[in-house]
Amino acid sequence: MKAYLILEDGHVFEGVSFGAEKEVISEFVFNTSMTGYTEILTDPSYAGQSVVMTYPLIGNYGVSYKDQEAAHPFVEGFVVHELSRLGSNFRMNMNLNDYMIENNIPGIQGVDTRAITKIIRQHGCMNGMITTQKYNLDEVLDKIKAFKVEGVVQRCTCDAPYKLGKGDFHVALYDFGAKRNIAKELVKRGCEVTVVPASTPASEIINGNYDGIMLSNGPGDPAENVEIVKEIKELAASGMPIFAICLGHQLMALAHDFKTEKLKFGHHGANHPVRDAHTGRVYISTQNHNYVIKEDSIDPEVAKVWFTNVNDGTIEGMEYINENIRTVQFHPEASAGPHDTAYLFDEFIKMMGGHKNA
């Protein structure tokens, strides 16, 4: 069946439908990863967005449920140059096409993903539509331009607290759209993890016999989460060790009255170099975000830059000077992706140990 990708600037790409036969309007971003499409599909940070894969062949190793970063996909739509309808992997549970049908995710293949990527790089992230229906371009462009990514943290967070693992340290993991591997990395290091909803009051955590707090990744504009930022401000003042990733990193900055801004086309991929300001050492990281902290909004008496992006110089990590808080923009729990920065979880364990024994 024919399918169409219509971008808000008027570009139309004709291809072939796969996955669910469903019309969807969303924000479009591109991802440069060569593997890890299951992890990408199920990363809650993509809520409200469709993903264009720059690597030309997707689906060749099928889908394994063990690779999911959440219970189901959060990507709105999926765009590939060539779909491998048959997967070849002893771990696979089903092929990618069937997986997308099962989870009601539409896809389009047979389009020039290089051309789409160049458009997004030149003009920035933009809204678009995937459809198999006949359309009037003027009418659909009005609908596409009106779309906004809103309320996505509430869509992704858990409904009630739940526990994972056992160990010497008890960590409260705020779920703003948390990837499963964050909790897995903590459990692997001897932590009992209580995953809590995004709206959990700070007082519950401060008085809850926890040794540390983890703020997770998540989707959307960080500045939209006004009530959550108020609670994080209270958490920051508690003196408890805090480690934050991606959206959590941005929310912590907002809680200290710093500002965030939207990147032109974001960072989405498994090959982004980041530099440690202390050592000068460069690590390869997995990233998925559209927003960053504005460097000129940082109070140098409150916080200092910890990591920077080698490609564009944007902020990739923060250390808070008089508080037990460290945050990173990238994903140290990355799977599939480089494991260069997994040691940051060890650093968090040391932070909790020092606080516990103080």
Side-chain angles (χ1 to χ4, degrees):
M1 178 182 292
K2 282 185 179 180
Y4 305 93
L5 167 56
I6 307 166
L7 296 176
E8 68 172 277
D9 68 350
H11 278 95
V12 179
F13 295 85
E14 181 179 320
V16 177
S17 171
F18 73 98
E21 292 180 15
K22 174 186 173 184
E23 184 172 283
V24 66
I25 297 175
S26 61
E27 183 177 56
F28 278 75
V29 298
F30 64 85
N31 188 298
T32 56
S33 300
M34 296 173 69
T35 61
Y37 50 81
T38 305
E39 290 87 344
I40 290 166
L41 287 166
T42 54
D43 181 351
S45 297
Y46 280 117
Q49 295 178 325
S50 292
V51 178
V52 181
M53 297 300 294
T54 62
Y55 191 71
L57 177 65
I58 300 295
N60 55 315
Y61 56 86
V63 172
S64 168
Y65 297 146
K66 291 182 179 179
D67 294 337
Q68 294 184 129
E69 287 286 5
H72 59 84
F74 282 89
V75 163
E76 306 294 337
F78 208 38
V79 183
V80 304
H81 176 67
E82 181 182 351
L83 173 73
S84 178
R85 292 192 174 272
L86 296 176
S88 179
N89 190 316
F90 72 96
R91 297 174 66 250
M92 69 174 278
N93 296 106
M94 64 173 63
N95 66 47
L96 178 56
N97 185 60
D98 291 343
Y99 180 75
M100 290 182 56
I101 292 171
E102 183 178 273
N103 289 282
N104 199 31
I105 307 295
I108 181 171
Q109 66 157 322
V111 292
D112 189 343
T113 50
R114 293 174 301 176
I116 299 167
T117 300
K118 285 181 178 180
I119 291 168
I120 296 173
R121 278 186 61 89
Q122 183 176 351
H123 301 289
C125 295
M126 63 179 70
N127 295 340
M129 171 191 283
I130 295 174
T131 183
T132 58
Q133 306 298 316
K134 292 182 178 179
Y135 60 88
N136 177 296
L137 187 58
D138 290 333
E139 290 178 5
V140 298
L141 284 179
D142 288 339
K143 289 170 60 179
I144 291 168
K145 291 174 182 177
F147 174 81
K148 290 184 178 180
V149 178
E150 295 177 311
V152 280
V153 168
Q154 288 70 30
R155 210 172 95 197
C156 296
T157 191
C158 57
D159 296 324
Y162 62 94
K163 292 183 181 292
L164 298 166
K166 293 181 179 180
D168 297 330
F169 297 103
H170 191 189
V171 178
L173 169 56
Y174 268 82
D175 178 11
F176 305 130
K179 293 166 68 178
R180 283 177 172 173
N181 273 291
I182 294 175
K184 284 181 181 178
E185 291 292 335
L186 292 169
V187 169
K188 189 163 67 177
R189 288 165 171 80
C191 294
E192 177 185 351
V193 179
T194 299
V195 184
V196 299
S199 59
T200 302
S203 57
E204 282 189 23
I205 305 304
I206 295 168
N207 300 317
N209 197 31
Y210 293 98
D211 298 304
I213 302 165
M214 174 72 75
L215 305 181
S216 83
N217 63 290
D221 182 350
E224 181 184 288
N225 301 284
V226 176
E227 294 304 316
I228 293 172
V229 169
K230 287 180 183 177
E231 300 302 323
I232 292 176
K233 187 171 290 195
E234 194 173 330
L235 292 173
S238 72
M240 293 178 68
I242 301 176
F243 183 33
I245 293 172
C246 200
L247 180 64
H249 155 87
Q250 298 161 0
L251 295 174
M252 182 59 74
L254 292 172
H256 286 82
D257 298 320
F258 305 158
K259 305 296 183 185
T260 56
E261 62 184 342
K262 191 171 185 178
L263 293 169
K264 187 175 181 181
F265 48 82
H267 297 154
H268 310 276
N271 55 356
H272 289 262
V274 296
R275 179 181 287 111
D276 185 330
H278 295 306
T279 65
R281 182 172 178 179
V282 173
Y283 300 89
I284 301 301
S285 69
T286 289
Q287 303 198 12
N288 175 24
H289 61 99
N290 273 355
Y291 292 84
V292 292
I293 299 169
K294 291 184 69 173
E295 188 164 7
D296 61 6
S297 73
I298 297 169
D299 183 345
E301 295 185 1
V302 174
K304 57 184 178 181
V305 176
W306 182 16
F307 287 94
T308 54
N309 189 294
V310 175
N311 291 333
D312 61 13
T314 53
I315 294 173
E316 294 282 0
M318 297 286 294
E319 291 178 297
Y320 290 82
I321 295 168
N322 295 315
E323 296 167 311
N324 212 2
I325 302 170
R326 285 181 156 192
T327 72
V328 292
Q329 181 64 78
F330 51 88
H331 289 268
E333 83 295 341
S335 180
H339 298 155
D340 294 27
T341 56
Y343 76 91
L344 295 175
F345 286 97
D346 300 321
E347 296 295 318
F348 180 48
I349 301 297
K350 290 178 185 175
M351 286 168 63
M352 289 190 291
H355 183 73
K356 199 172 186 178
N357 297 323

